[in-house]
Amino acid sequence: MPDLLIELLSEEIPARMQRKASLDLEKLFTEGISELGLTYESSAAFSTPRRLTLALENVSNKSLSSVEEKRGPRKDAPEKAIQGFLKNTGLEISQLEVRQEKKGEFYFANIRTEGRNAADIISLVLEKTVRNFPWPKSMRWGESSLKWVRPLHSLICILYDEDDSKVVEMDIEGISSGDKTFGHRFM
């Protein structure tokens, strides 16, 4: 199972905001991927004056497939109710199952959702996390609609295991993910 490294590099984050920001990044991101079915073994968040970093160990390669069962209208319900249920589930009448219950015969739909690739889930959740980050004060710069505590300069998002490492492709307001970071600004 691969490990994940995320680094958000910006201009100086005020000292009073750094620790809470690293904890917020960890909480928002890990809850987001867990809701979408991705698992991990452990996580650790770090902060410096210019960076927020998150490391996750043993991230699953994809989310699990799932089957959701929905109960529909009675078999003798008006045609409009049955058609509404079919539209909602995306199935056809022949794909529904009819079951006898105490109150009569009802239609049931089994909706199968295939597991999604880890990189797709990570890019979706990370973009949502960055765009909705709970800074006490944030700013916009240039023509960007992104609000961040200070201008965001780079984004690293790498999935790696013993054999291979790959950049999780994403773009947030013209900032593309990569695999290179920057050292001290003046050295």
Side-chain angles (χ1 to χ4, degrees):
M1 290 200 208
D3 296 331
L4 175 67
L5 174 66
I6 297 171
E7 179 193 76
L8 304 170
L9 176 71
S10 68
E11 292 182 14
E12 279 74 13
I13 301 168
R16 69 183 187 280
M17 296 181 189
Q18 291 172 15
R19 179 73 182 136
K20 184 174 180 327
S22 67
L23 296 174
D24 286 343
L25 175 63
E26 181 177 24
K27 181 179 184 248
L28 291 170
F29 185 78
T30 56
E31 285 177 0
I33 64 170
S34 294
E35 284 175 13
L36 294 177
L38 213 55
T39 60
Y40 61 95
E41 194 172 291
S42 65
S43 66
F46 308 96
S47 64
T48 70
R50 297 184 66 216
R51 291 174 170 77
L52 294 178
T53 306
L54 179 63
L56 273 67
E57 291 184 346
N58 295 327
V59 178
S60 55
N61 290 320
K62 66 186 283 188
S63 63
L64 298 174
S65 298
S66 65
V67 177
E68 179 186 5
E69 183 176 87
K70 285 189 176 182
R71 182 179 132 175
R74 289 173 55 121
K75 190 173 179 185
D76 59 352
E79 185 63 27
K80 212 170 194 176
I82 295 170
Q83 290 304 318
F85 180 67
L86 292 173
K87 184 178 179 184
N88 185 21
T89 59
L91 299 175
E92 295 187 17
I93 194 94
S94 61
Q95 296 172 301
L96 299 179
E97 182 181 332
V98 178
R99 286 193 212 147
Q100 180 68 38
E101 291 196 340
K102 289 180 182 177
K103 295 184 179 182
E105 290 184 314
F106 286 86
Y107 285 111
F108 281 85
N110 290 316
I111 302 167
R112 182 168 175 77
T113 306
E114 291 298 320
R116 293 168 60 188
N117 191 358
D120 296 337
I121 293 172
I122 289 166
S123 65
L124 179 77
V125 172
L126 184 56
E127 181 170 356
K128 182 179 176 187
T129 300
V130 169
R131 289 190 182 280
N132 300 313
F133 206 81
W135 293 108
K137 284 182 151 185
S138 58
M139 62 186 283
R140 290 185 309 121
W141 61 96
E143 294 183 19
S144 172
S145 66
L146 178 65
K147 289 186 174 185
W148 197 251
V149 67
R150 298 288 185 268
L152 193 59
H153 290 293
S154 79
L155 169 65
I156 293 176
C157 190
I158 303 172
L159 269 172
Y160 59 96
D161 55 21
E162 297 85 29
D163 302 330
D164 190 24
S165 68
K166 77 173 194 171
V167 173
V168 176
E169 299 292 331
M170 60 184 301
D171 184 86
I172 302 173
E173 297 288 330
I175 302 168
S176 297
S177 58
D179 59 356
K180 297 196 178 15
T181 190
F182 299 91
H184 193 278
R185 280 191 311 188
F186 305 117
M187 300 176 122

